[in-house]
């Protein structure tokens, strides 16, 4: 015959009922229970006295009375389907709005969303541009062609590429939220920081680099922006000599320039200059900073390094940026350029959409 296991709470009620019928005092009964049962199984005093009172009043059952609860009918298939329909119609709808629309409780809506539909609410991801179908198709096509060329030429293709872009460098760049994070104990609270914005003083920095390192850095002062004439002069009179002196083992006419589709880069004057230099321009789809090594790789760490730094003049800014660029190892620049084929492939895999993390 198998042993019948009695729940500890039921066992205590049996003892309480027996001793109450023996006219033993409540305090003595509880003292006996404390000896027989460990603290984690012992009835709470409030529960104990409720059972003592119930047995004194003539209660016979030691088990809890069965509850006559109304069966849950809100979480059923037609409500589940209706909630999903509301979500698909408006991804930003709230739980309260759905509860009012369906006519069931907020708790039932939460059960349907999380346990049955497996939805979770996430924040929107910032992207440089809302791409339409044609723009995604163009990105995918160009990346396919670049991948085909990489597969055919291998590392020689990547070694010939040098890239460039511009970024503003301010006299003061606030620390990022991530940079201000500190280790704190639970009761210490979070550190506080006044909200700051970048200073008005700034200069435009243009960096030319390849997998071996920096080729040339230009700083445009007095808060001007680059036009086609300035950019063409930069290429012909500064970048070309720098390339000749720093990359003697690579024929300069085999160099491939990767820049974005900003107006100074695509203007007729610039195209004429590039034809004169006999430099190939690598295909680069519009609205694609996620495929530009300056944007997805170089400028982020540079801005992190600038966080919290304060400069008094343009010379201080230039010196800091030059020193930071020079301090980066060859492997740092090589890693950034070698990410290109992987990002091209990822872009093809997601049918031309923007890359998140690669």
């Amino acid at each position: 015959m198998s042993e019948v296991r009695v729940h500890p709470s039921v066992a205590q009620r049996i003892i309480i009922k027996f001793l109450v019928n023996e006219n033993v005092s409540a305090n003595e009964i509880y003292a006996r229970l404390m000896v027989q049962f460990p603290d984690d199984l012992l009835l709470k005093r409030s529960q104990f006295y409720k059972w003592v009172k119930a047995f004194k009043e003539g209660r016979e059952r030691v088990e809890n009375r069965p509850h006559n609860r109304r069966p849950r009918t809100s979480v059923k298939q037609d409500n589940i389907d209706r909630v999903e329909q509301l979500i698909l119609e408006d991804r930003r709808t709230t739980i309260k709005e759905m509860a009012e629309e369906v006519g069931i409780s907020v708790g039932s809506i939460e059960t349907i969303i999380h346990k049955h539909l497996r939805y979770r609410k996430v924040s929107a991801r910032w992207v440089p541009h809302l791409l339409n179908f044609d723009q995604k198709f163009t990105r995918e096509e160009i990346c396919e062609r670049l991948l085909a060329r990489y597969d055919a030429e291998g590392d020689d293709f990547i070694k010939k590429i040098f890239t460039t872009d511009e970024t503003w460098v301010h006299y003061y760049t606030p620390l990022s939220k991530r940079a201000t994070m500190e280790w704190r104990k639970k009761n210490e609270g979070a550190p506080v920081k006044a909200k700051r914005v970048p200073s008005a003083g700034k200069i435009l920095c243009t960096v030319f680099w390849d997998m071996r390192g920096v080729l040339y850095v230009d700083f445009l002062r007095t808060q001007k922006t680059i036009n086609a004439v300035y950019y063409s002069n930069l290429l012909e009179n500064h970048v070309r000599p720098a390339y000749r002196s720093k990359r003697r083992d690579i024929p300069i006419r085999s160099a491939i320039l990767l820049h974005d589709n900003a107006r100074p880069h695509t203007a007729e004057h610039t195209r004429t200059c590039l034809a004169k230099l006999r430099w190939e321009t690598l295909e680069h789809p519009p609205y694609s900073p996620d495929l530009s090594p300056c944007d997805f790789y170089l400028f982020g760490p540079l801005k992190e390094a600038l966080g919290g730094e304060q400069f008094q003049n343009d010379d201080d800014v230039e010196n800091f940026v030059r020193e930071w660029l020079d301090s980066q190892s060859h492997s740092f620049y090589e890693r950034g350029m070698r990410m290109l084929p992987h990002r091209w492939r990822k872009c093809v895999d997601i049918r031309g959409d923007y890359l998140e993390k690669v």
Side-chain angles (χ1 to χ4, degrees), residues 15 19 22-35 45 48-49 52:
I15 295 171
L19 294 177
E22 292 288 318
N23 293 320
V24 178
S25 68
N27 289 339
E28 186 178 343
I29 295 173
Y30 198 72
R32 293 187 186 185
L33 292 177
M34 290 175 65
V35 174
R45 283 186 179 272
F48 167 76
Y49 284 112
V52 169

Side-chain angles (χ1 to χ4, degrees), residues 228-245:
V229 174
Y230 185 92
Y231 185 64
S232 299
N233 177 68
L234 201 59
L235 293 172
E236 187 171 2
N237 298 320
H238 299 279
V239 179
R240 181 173 63 170
Y243 197 99
R244 282 186 182 278
S245 64

Side-chain angles (χ1 to χ4, degrees), residues 99-147:
E100 293 174 355
E101 182 71 25
V102 181
I104 60 178
S105 69
V106 167
S108 296
I109 293 290
E110 289 177 337
T111 300
I112 290 172
I113 290 174
H114 300 304
K115 292 187 178 180
H116 293 269
L117 297 176
R118 303 291 183 181
Y119 277 106
R120 62 190 180 95
K121 209 164 192 179
V122 297
S123 300
R125 158 172 84 93
W126 292 106
V127 295
H129 185 79
L130 293 177
L131 299 170
N132 58 35
F133 175 81
D134 291 337
Q135 289 162 346
K136 290 181 182 180
F137 183 74
T138 299
R139 281 167 52 89
E140 183 181 1
E141 267 197 328
I142 290 176
C143 286
E144 283 180 339
R145 288 196 291 269
L146 293 172
L147 274 174

Side-chain angles (χ1 to χ4, degrees), residues 215-254:
L215 294 166
Y216 186 78
V217 186
D218 178 72
F219 294 94
L220 183 58
R221 303 191 181 195
T222 66
Q223 299 189 19
K224 293 180 180 179
T225 57
I226 288 179
N227 57 28
V229 174
Y230 185 92
Y231 185 64
S232 299
N233 177 68
L234 201 59
L235 293 172
E236 187 171 2
N237 298 320
H238 299 279
V239 179
R240 181 173 63 170
Y243 197 99
R244 282 186 182 278
S245 64
K246 294 183 178 181
R247 303 292 180 263
R248 296 179 181 275
D249 56 327
I250 301 178
I252 192 168
R253 290 184 180 178
S254 67

Side-chain angles (χ1 to χ4, degrees), residues 326-339:
D326 290 341
S327 69
Q328 305 309 306
S329 64
H330 288 296
S331 62
F332 171 80
Y333 295 103
E334 181 177 355
R335 184 165 57 250
M337 296 302 292
R338 287 194 181 279
M339 290 173 70

Side-chain angles (χ1 to χ4, degrees), residues 180-194:
T180 61
M181 295 175 71
E182 299 178 1
W183 291 107
R184 295 288 185 104
K185 291 186 177 180
K186 188 175 181 180
N187 59 349
E188 287 186 297
V192 295
K193 173 177 173 287

